[in-house]
Amino acid sequence: MRAAGGLPGVGPVAAAAAVHLVANAVSVTTWRRIAAVAGARLTWPAAAWVWAASQLARYGLSGAQVAGRAVLGRRYGLTGLAGAVTALVETAWQFAITAVLVLATVPWWLPGASDLRWVALAALVPAAVLVVGSVAPMRLLAGAARIATWSPVRRVTGGRLATSVDGVTLSPATAARVTGPFLVNTALRVAAFLVLFAAVGGSPQRDAGIAVGAYAIGQVAGRVAVFAPGGVGAQEGATALVLAPVLGGPVALLLVAVTRLAEVLGELAFLGLARWRRPVSSPARVR
């Protein structure tokens, strides 16, 4: 085990928070594109406000951002069903990209964290979904339609979800246009994590593979742990477990705590900007 340093300075934390703020703007662009595929056209200020205000709700109740989009989007002409479905698609697609990152970094993180091999297994299905969705997106939509018509799902949703993909067409080019911002978003958040990793004494040059893998594992663990609002605890615990052999346990715990702080600061700052630019009303145009 190689022990690392201590508290990061204000500069690295502020820099990481700023990167998360930019990543949030990219997330809004991504969600707008998903909404556009579904037939809704939101202005960017309206989309930014709905996304930012609903995103923080996940810290009160796991997955609450989905209901938040459904409720807040109505003021801007987005139906409740469209708001919920687009939020689910955004969450699932980002999860799939992070799952690919987990699998890509297995050679670096698995030898020191064999207890977390279940995360790699959990990443296989979403990674496969991403591949199918990129190469044959209409096949993925057909699968989603079959799930929506499954009787247990119909009972829970009152049958409203069964028609959610009717009339939606998705080509590989459109799928790539939606996936692009997700990749940028992931790259930005990984960069913010590496800034803090270096600030606590880690070496991105030497341990980039395990650091990126630890970040991705934490994200997957946080999403899988539906009992934990915002993935708090599960996300940090998984990342710290992977990094403990590199940084030492106390420093790894410090890193994940500061990482969460920078993420929340970025979200609060973005919420403030979105609130400042929020339109009174901006009806979405729906096909």
Side-chain angles (χ1 to χ4, degrees):
M1 181 177 71
R2 298 186 295 271
L7 283 169
V10 174
V13 176
V19 173
H20 278 293
L21 187 152
V22 174
N24 292 334
V26 174
S27 292
V28 171
T29 298
T30 309
W31 180 58
R32 280 188 75 220
R33 289 185 179 181
I34 294 171
V37 171
R41 299 291 191 272
L42 285 166
T43 66
W44 205 93
W49 169 245
V50 173
W51 186 93
S54 62
Q55 194 69 6
L56 284 168
R58 74 190 191 281
Y59 287 116
L61 180 67
S62 184
Q65 73 272 22
V66 175
R69 305 273 176 89
V71 173
L72 294 175
R74 289 178 179 176
R75 183 170 184 177
Y76 300 96
L78 196 64
T79 66
L81 180 62
V85 170
T86 54
L88 285 171
V89 171
E90 177 196 6
T91 301
W93 215 247
Q94 185 61 63
F95 180 76
I97 289 174
T98 308
V100 170
L101 199 55
V102 167
L103 296 175
T105 55
V106 160
W108 288 275
W109 65 261
L110 185 59
S114 57
D115 289 345
L116 290 174
R117 63 169 59 92
W118 67 268
V119 179
L121 296 176
L124 290 173
V125 172
V129 169
L130 179 64
V131 172
V132 174
S134 299
V135 177
M138 289 305 296
R139 182 172 298 179
L140 185 63
L141 279 179
R146 285 195 292 271
I147 293 173
T149 56
W150 187 35
S151 57
V153 176
R154 288 182 66 91
R155 284 197 295 270
V156 171
T157 63
R160 293 186 298 274
L161 196 60
T163 59
S164 61
V165 297
D166 289 354
V168 176
T169 57
L170 187 59
S171 67
T174 303
R177 186 169 177 267
V178 170
T179 302
F182 277 120
L183 296 175
V184 174
N185 174 62
T186 300
L188 287 169
R189 297 189 192 278
V190 168
F193 182 75
L194 290 176
V195 167
L196 296 174
F197 178 73
V200 298
S203 173
Q205 295 80 13
R206 182 186 60 214
D207 296 317
I210 192 170
V212 173
Y215 169 83
I217 287 169
Q219 293 296 310
V220 169
R223 296 288 175 86
V224 171
V226 294
F227 57 85
V232 174
Q235 175 179 316
E236 286 78 13
T239 298
L241 184 61
V242 176
L243 289 178
V246 176
L247 300 175
V251 176
L253 290 173
L254 172 64
L255 171 60
V256 295
V258 174
T259 297
R260 177 70 76 169
L261 173 63
E263 180 182 344
V264 172
L265 288 174
E267 289 186 1
L268 290 173
F270 187 78
L271 176 65
L273 292 174
R275 174 68 176 79
W276 174 51
R277 295 292 308 277
R278 178 186 65 171
V280 175
S281 63
S282 177
R285 290 179 287 138
V286 182
R287 283 201 299 258

